Every structure is written in structure tokens, then in C-alpha cells.
Amino acid sequence: MHPKATISCSCGCMFQSDFQKSSAENPPCCPQCKAVMDMESWKNLRTTMAELADFNYHIMKWHSERNEPKMLVPAITVTTLED
């Protein structure tokens, strides 16, 4: 599993950050406006990506070992509701 996060910057740019190609010391930088994500936010995002990868790994493992349903989660989407 290779988790990637799609990041929406306040400038309107959307870009991806790849867990495997990133490091904890280098938060993502918007390619358009060059804003850099806060280190605490980056730490939390990396933890979330790692947990989702672990979840999918275990689903695959349990499917193969216990014949449980293979119900992978390829993405989690968050939407903002407007009034």
C-alpha cells in the first residue's frame, strides 16, 4: 500500500504528498504559492496515512488467512458543507 494525500491549499492549488517519498522533517510545500504545512499538522497527516496503509494491509492479510471479505479503503474524503 502506498498512501498519498491530496492537499488543498488556501490559494486554490491541489497537489499530492506521497508517504513513501516524504520525510517527517520536510512538510509539503504548495507548488503554486510556496506555503508550507505546519510541522504538527504534517506529523498528524503522516500518522493518518500510515494508519490507513496499516488498515488496508490487515484487510488483505485477514482476507488471505481467514477468508474475510476484502474491503479495502483506497481513500477517505472530507467535504465542507456550506450554508
Side-chain angles (χ1 to χ4, degrees), residues 3-32:
K4 291 183 180 182
T6 300
I7 300 169
S8 174
C9 185
S10 59
C11 73
C13 180
M14 290 186 75
F15 60 99
Q16 286 192 327
S17 180
D18 187 319
F19 183 78
Q20 273 75 15
K21 295 179 182 176
S22 67
S23 71
E25 299 81 30
N26 295 311
C29 176
C30 174
Q32 185 168 296

Side-chain angles (χ1 to χ4, degrees), residues 23-83:
S23 71
E25 299 81 30
N26 295 311
C29 176
C30 174
Q32 185 168 296
C33 74
K34 308 302 181 206
V36 177
M37 185 179 283
D38 173 77
M39 285 301 287
E40 188 66 25
S41 297
W42 178 228
K43 177 184 171 189
N44 289 331
L45 178 56
R46 283 182 56 83
T47 299
T48 300
M49 288 193 291
E51 288 177 357
L52 183 57
D54 288 347
F55 173 85
N56 282 321
Y57 167 80
H58 285 101
I59 293 294
M60 293 292 290
K61 184 175 192 257
W62 297 329
H63 173 69
S64 116
E65 292 176 358
R66 304 179 201 165
N67 202 27
E68 290 187 15
K70 184 170 134 182
M71 296 182 161
L72 298 173
V73 179
I76 296 174
T77 304
V78 177
T79 60
T80 303
L81 301 177
E82 296 180 9
D83 293 329

